[in-house]
Structures are given as C-alpha cells and as structure tokens.
Amino acid sequence: MPLVELEHIEKWYGQNHVLKGVTLGVERGAVVSLIGRSGSGKSTLLRCINGLETFDSGRVVVDGEALDPQKTDLRRFRQHVGMVFQQFNLFPHLTVGRNIMLAPTVVKKQSAREAEEIAREMLGRVGLSDKFDAYPEQLSGGQQQRVAIARSLAMQPSVLLCDEITSALDPELVGEVLKVLERLAADGMTLILVTHEMRFARDVGSKLVFMHLGRVWEEGDPKELMAHPRTPELAQFIGAVAA
Amino acid sequence: MPEFTLWDITRNLLLAARWTVLLSLIAFAGGAIVGLLVTLARVSKFKALRLLMRGYIELFQGTPLLMQLFLAFFGLSLIGIEVSPWVAASLALTLWSSAFLAEIWRGCVEAIPKGQSEASASLGLSWLEAMRYVILPQALRIAIPPTVGFSVQVVKGTALASIIGFVELTKAGTMLNNATFQPFTVFSLVALMYFALCYPLSLYAHSLEAKLHAARRT
C-alpha cells in the first residue's frame, strides 16, 4: 500500500480550477519530483498533503490516516508529514537548537534533554553539528535550509515535503542542500519535492510527475520520461528547463 | 483666607499625581490584559469573532474617551449599578486602552511573515502554541516601542477622569486654582508634572527600540 495516496483531488480558487482531479500514489522510500510550469498546481498539491491548503473534494491518505481538513486532528496528522519551504521559515528569535527542539517539546512533550539529544543528532545528519547555538541569521541560506530540514526530521515524519527548497538559494549553495536530500533518500526517507532541479530529479528521484493545467500530465521513471517525453507539453517543458 | 505658598501648591499636586500614576497603571495593565485577548480574537480563524472584535475596537476608537467615562459613571448608575469614580475611571480607561493596544498589536502580529505560522503548523503546533512560541515573541519585539509610546496617551487620558470627580492631577489643579486664583502657576506645574511622567516613558520607548535593534545579532 502506498505511503501517500492522493485520490481525485479537486481544488478551486474562486473561479479558478487549480487541481482537476489529481490522483497520485507514493510508495514508502520513494523520491517523487513534481515538475511543471508555475501555475500548474504542483505547489498547491504539495500543500494539500499536510493540510496547509484545503481541497474541495478527493482524498488524501498518509500512513493509513485520511485527511479531512475540516475534521481531522491536523495536529496529529502533521506529525506524519514534515515540510520544508522555499524561504526556510526558521524562527529568527530562537537559536538553531531551539528551532529544532520546539516542536518535539511542545507537540510531542519530550523532555528538554531528550529533545536536545535528537536535535544534535539531526544537526549532525545535515552536517551542522557546530551550529547548535547559532541564530538563523548568522547562517548562510544553504545552512538555514539544512537546519529547516533537521527541524522537520526531529519530528520523525514518515514523509518529507519539499517546496522548491533550493529556489531561494545562491547557485553555489544549492549543492549542499541537495546532498543532504540525497543522503536522506539513501537512508530510505520518503520525499516529495516540487523542484526545478532536473538533474537531481533524474539522478536521485524514483518517480517524476509532470503537472500541467492542474492535472498529472505524465508520470513515470525520471530517466525514461526525460529521455522520451510522451506529450509535447513535457517535451517543451524539458526543452525550456534545459535551455 | 489662607495663603498658599508655591510649595503648598506643589505638594498638593504631587499628592494628587499619585492617583494619576495609579490610575494610569490600572488602565495600562487592565488594557494590556484585555487588549491581548482582543488581539488574539482579532487574528483568530473565526470570522464572526474577528468582526466582533473589530466592532469593539472601532467603537472605542470612534467615540471620545470623555463619553466613555460619562457612560461608565452616569450610565451605569442609571441602570442601577452604583459605581465610584475610581471604578468608573478604571473601567472606561481599561476598555479604551485595550482597544488601542489591540489595534497596535494586531498590526505587529500581522507583520510577522506568514511563513512563520505555516512552518509552525507544519511542525504540528496548534494555533495557540504557534502564537505563544513563535508569533507573539517576534511581534513583541516590534510592539514594544509603539506600546510604550501609547502609555503616554494613557497617562494623559487619565486627565479626563477629573470630569467625573476623580481627584487626580488635573482635578487637583482645578481645585487649587479655585482656591488660589493663580492659574498660570498652578497649570504650569500641572503640565510640568505630566511632562515629568510622560517624557521618561518616551525616552524609555526609544532606548528599548535601540536595545532591541542591538540585540538582533548580525
């Protein structure tokens, strides 16, 4: 059974039909890249998976638990689903360590010592063990994004959603963040990414999903799809990204 | 008729100034507590509650403080609740300052980028937890200068309580003027005392602002 199941997700923004019945399954340990032009609905779809966006009809199931934005205990649901943002969204008034410890202590009621142990472990995983007491603004963008990843991991989610997490970074900092993702993927973490990093999608991704006009236009093996797009829209998109 | 020396006038005004200070503290503390609740309701996800609080704020911002004092004092006694000038002044000033503080603080809360609450929500924090641990601590930083600045308005606002017979600085000044017929001396001293109360608050607001900026590590 897939870890994440999206069934016929429909969403309207007023008159604007942004998601037109999206169905998608993500297996445990998969690395799924959502690509497509801006406005294709890929970010909206991602945000539906943890309830940051509501949807009008359809079903989202993560780890066997269905999400109904009106009724579900979102708080509990979101503990299965980590999310990392384009703008990092670290808490600027807290140190790196406190950023990571906040949710485990508040939401999971871990003791400070327990949370600190996990925070240090997660910082180690993203290669920033020495930054525990630093404030976010003392870090580079790439480091901040790695802290944001560590912060999500500390809640031990089943799946990590990444919303264009390298798009706000200077080009020379993109690599360090992708390397962290690659290592997570190798460790078996399930990742769903909205991304423009085609090389990462091809080399690390296990599935590529091309979204167009609010639909899953094409999906399949990344290498296969990139080499032989079946639709002119994907061919055109790949051409535009490569250019 | 007894002669009033300058010291007599000053001494009496200083004694009355105690009540100005006390009333200011009550109004500010009460206003802060009520104002925080109004702020939270004003930025909550319940539309009806937000509208209600907006009405509350508009009501107190859109009517003169003097009318609010009259209503609290005469209005309440009309419906059979006998209130002392103390209670009436404390009540009216608390509600009045809560409305202004709530509006100041709403702006500060809304100035915190949306990504902060989205990140909090994604980590499983409830709305109230996100407010408490993430949004309000950051909003506080930017709220302090305008809040302390508003406390100056509260101090000056207490002068209106003199109208309902509350003997504070202004009322004492009026009474002393009636007894001494030295309006220039008396009201100059009154003004000076208000200034002595308010100016340190302004200075404090500025220094807090500077300190908070310095505390932001670069």
Side-chain angles (χ1 to χ4, degrees):
Chain A
M1 194 181 76
L3 176 66
V4 178
E5 288 180 272
L6 306 174
E7 285 173 24
H8 308 294
I9 305 292
E10 301 264 353
K11 180 170 177 68
W12 295 78
Y13 278 127
Q15 292 297 303
N16 196 1
H17 200 178
V18 287
L19 294 177
K20 300 172 186 165
V22 176
T23 296
L24 189 67
V26 176
E27 302 295 330
R28 200 176 287 275
V31 177
V32 177
S33 309
L34 300 175
I35 60 168
R37 276 190 237 147
S38 68
S40 60
K42 54 195 195 306
S43 273
T44 308
L45 184 68
L46 195 73
R47 290 161 60 88
C48 283
I49 303 177
N50 76 343
L52 276 185
E53 295 280 355
T54 58
F55 43 90
D56 297 302
S57 67
R59 234 160 71 94
V60 171
V61 181
V62 177
D63 231 350
E65 194 167 348
L67 167 72
D68 178 339
Q70 261 63 29
K71 292 187 217 113
T72 310
D73 179 2
L74 275 174
R75 177 185 169 78
R76 204 163 56 96
F77 186 86
R78 281 171 173 153
Q79 294 179 36
H80 299 286
V81 188
M83 184 153 187
V84 184
F85 300 86
Q86 183 175 356
Q87 298 297 337
F88 330 139
N89 295 345
L90 292 181
F91 306 136
H93 61 301
L94 301 176
T95 61
V96 164
R98 297 266 159 206
N99 260 276
I100 303 174
M101 290 164 64
L102 180 67
T105 48
V106 171
V107 179
K108 286 192 168 171
K109 313 287 179 211
Q110 288 176 358
S111 69
R113 186 190 295 178
E114 202 180 344
E116 180 176 338
E117 205 170 294
I118 293 173
R120 290 195 185 276
E121 184 196 327
M122 294 307 158
L123 270 181
R125 274 179 89 173
V126 299
L128 291 171
S129 297
D130 53 333
K131 299 296 185 190
F132 190 87
D133 293 312
Y135 278 85
E137 64 188 350
Q138 296 169 310
L139 305 181
S140 73
Q143 291 172 328
Q144 289 192 45
Q145 196 58 294
R146 284 147 68 193
V147 171
I149 293 171
R151 183 174 69 174
S152 285
L153 292 179
M155 290 298 280
Q156 281 145 348
S158 322
V159 52
L160 192 63
L161 312 176
C162 301
D163 192 2
E164 302 201 27
I165 67 169
T166 56
S167 301
L169 295 174
D170 292 337
E172 76 271 19
L173 302 176
V174 169
E176 60 185 77
V177 173
L178 292 182
K179 206 165 288 169
V180 166
L181 284 187
E182 199 174 333
R183 213 153 44 219
L184 287 179
D187 290 348
M189 185 77 204
T190 311
L191 299 172
I192 306 177
L193 324 111
V194 168
T195 186
H196 298 294
E197 299 296 333
M198 298 300 280
R199 197 187 303 166
F200 181 87
R202 188 189 59 205
D203 297 345
V204 181
S206 55
K207 188 182 202 177
L208 188 70
V209 177
F210 173 61
M211 289 196 61
H212 188 62
L213 301 174
R215 287 196 172 87
V216 172
W217 207 257
E218 280 196 51
E219 63 178 303
D221 177 72
K223 293 183 185 71
E224 169 103 20
L225 225 52
M226 280 191 216
H228 309 289
R230 291 185 292 262
T231 60
E233 288 81 7
L234 178 56
Q236 197 190 14
F237 180 79
I238 291 172
V241 177
Chain B
M1 190 174 138
E3 276 299 306
F4 280 86
T5 64
L6 187 61
W7 167 241
D8 287 328
I9 297 173
T10 310
R11 194 170 55 94
N12 280 297
L13 287 177
L14 280 174
L15 288 173
R18 289 180 304 173
W19 306 122
T20 290
V21 171
L22 188 61
L23 185 59
S24 300
L25 288 174
I26 291 173
F28 189 76
I33 294 166
V34 179
L36 181 64
L37 296 177
V38 176
T39 304
L40 288 176
R42 185 76 180 82
V43 297
S44 78
K45 47 196 160 176
F46 304 108
K47 197 173 176 195
L49 198 58
R50 288 203 306 267
L51 285 176
L52 190 71
M53 289 306 132
R54 191 175 151 194
Y56 174 90
I57 291 168
E58 296 289 345
L59 183 71
F60 284 96
Q61 289 198 337
T63 54
L65 175 57
L66 193 56
M67 297 307 126
Q68 295 162 26
L69 281 161
F70 280 161
L71 282 172
F73 188 58
F74 301 115
L76 283 181
S77 60
L78 266 184
I79 58 169
I81 307 168
E82 217 42 66
V83 289
S84 68
W86 259 111
V87 173
S90 301
L91 181 68
L93 280 161
T94 291
L95 296 181
W96 173 78
S97 54
S98 76
F100 279 86
L101 286 173
E103 192 62 3
I104 292 171
W105 292 346
R106 177 185 67 87
C108 296
V109 167
E110 286 176 355
I112 305 304
K114 204 166 154 238
Q116 294 288 307
S117 47
E118 288 189 346
S120 309
S122 300
L123 288 166
L125 270 71
S126 68
W127 181 83
L128 204 60
E129 287 165 349
M131 275 289 152
R132 178 171 163 204
Y133 295 104
V134 178
I135 310 296
L136 291 182
Q138 294 181 63
L140 184 70
R141 179 191 290 275
I142 49 179
I144 282 177
T147 302
V148 178
F150 176 71
S151 69
V152 171
Q153 302 301 318
V154 175
V155 173
K156 292 190 290 181
T158 59
L160 288 173
S162 60
I163 304 281
I164 57 169
F166 185 96
V167 184
E168 38 64 76
L169 194 48
T170 302
K171 180 74 176 173
T174 316
M175 289 155 72
L176 283 166
N177 179 47
N178 290 341
T180 61
F181 305 109
Q182 295 176 15
F184 192 76
T185 312
V186 170
F187 288 114
S188 295
L189 282 169
V190 169
L192 201 64
M193 285 181 197
Y194 275 113
F195 187 75
L197 286 174
C198 293
Y199 186 57
L201 286 174
S202 298
L203 281 183
Y204 184 51
H206 286 301
S207 82
L208 278 175
E209 195 172 3
K211 207 183 286 178
L212 280 170
H213 277 298
R216 275 189 81 82
R217 290 154 190 81
T218 48

